[in-house]
Amino acid sequence: QSCCKIKWGGNTMTTIFINASPNKEGMTSKWGAKVLEGIDYERIDLVDFHIAQLGQVKANDDFDAVMDRLAKANYVVIGTPIYWWDISGLLKTFIDRWTELFQIGLDSENAPLHQLPVLWIVQGAAPEEAIPGIERMLENISKRFVMDSQGILYQKKQISEANRQLKQMLVDKNK
């Protein structure tokens, strides 16, 4: 996918989809593509990056490279499959590493996630069993890192409305 170049208050608008599924062509990826249909975006498949567990960082770690790309975004969609009533290990590890951002100051405009609009996609078999706990966790993460949560999409029927709202937001911001 190409990176989005939409005017946003005089700046360019960059939209990123982070796919936290180990299956790059799975349902999480498909849902992300449908939510972003008609919108140019950059796709980051976490499975393509070596992001070490918190406290286990070695020289070949890609966390900073992914965060550098995320820091340039004006909008992010983060998708994860549900594994054993929780988010994927790829996403959990990535979020755990956000702990390193505390050094910057989370409410600072220099913080890479500060006021970043985020839409979470959570998909899997029988998600309603897992959703309350995952929803609470993702909303708390959004608040803790001073992100602008756009909600959590976990039903296929929500996709077209999310796409419509995102396109409208982009049009409104472009005015």
Side-chain angles (χ1 to χ4, degrees), residues 15-161:
T15 302
I16 292 179
F17 170 54
I18 296 178
N19 178 23
S21 173
N23 182 354
K24 294 197 298 190
E25 302 306 323
M27 290 307 296
T28 302
S29 175
K30 290 175 183 169
W31 281 29
K34 287 181 182 178
V35 165
L36 293 162
E37 187 174 4
I39 300 167
D40 287 332
Y41 63 95
E42 177 183 357
R43 177 173 150 171
I44 298 173
D45 292 297
L46 288 181
V47 72
D48 290 341
F49 295 88
H50 180 280
I51 299 175
Q53 298 287 322
L54 184 62
Q56 304 298 314
V57 180
K58 307 289 184 213
N60 63 342
D61 188 78
D62 293 325
F63 176 74
D64 287 340
V66 174
M67 286 307 297
D68 286 347
R69 290 164 69 183
L70 190 56
K72 294 175 182 141
N74 296 97
Y75 194 94
V76 65
V77 176
I78 301 175
T80 181
I82 296 173
Y83 293 141
W84 295 101
W85 302 279
D86 208 345
I87 61 175
S88 72
L90 290 167
L91 184 56
K92 176 71 168 95
T93 297
F94 185 55
I95 291 172
D96 283 351
R97 290 289 300 280
W98 290 1
T99 301
E100 297 171 18
L101 302 177
F102 290 137
Q103 298 168 21
I104 298 170
L106 302 178
D107 58 353
S108 162
E109 289 188 17
N110 295 326
L113 304 176
H114 185 264
Q115 294 298 311
L116 177 62
V118 59
L119 173 66
W120 302 94
I121 297 175
V122 178
Q123 70 77 38
E128 52 280 342
E129 294 176 17
I131 288 301
I134 293 172
E135 185 172 39
R136 188 169 38 258
M137 177 187 56
L138 295 178
E139 287 299 331
N140 286 335
I141 288 167
S142 297
K143 287 177 189 170
R144 182 66 181 110
F145 289 93
V146 196
M147 299 173 83
D148 180 11
S149 178
Q150 304 295 299
I152 300 171
L153 184 151
Y154 62 91
Q155 295 178 335
K156 193 174 185 177
K157 66 183 180 183
Q158 298 171 302
I159 292 173
S160 62
E161 180 61 17

Side-chain angles (χ1 to χ4, degrees), residues 160-171:
S160 62
E161 180 61 17
N163 176 261
R164 187 194 66 72
Q165 288 178 0
L166 181 54
K167 284 179 181 174
Q168 186 60 51
M169 185 195 77
L170 294 175
V171 166

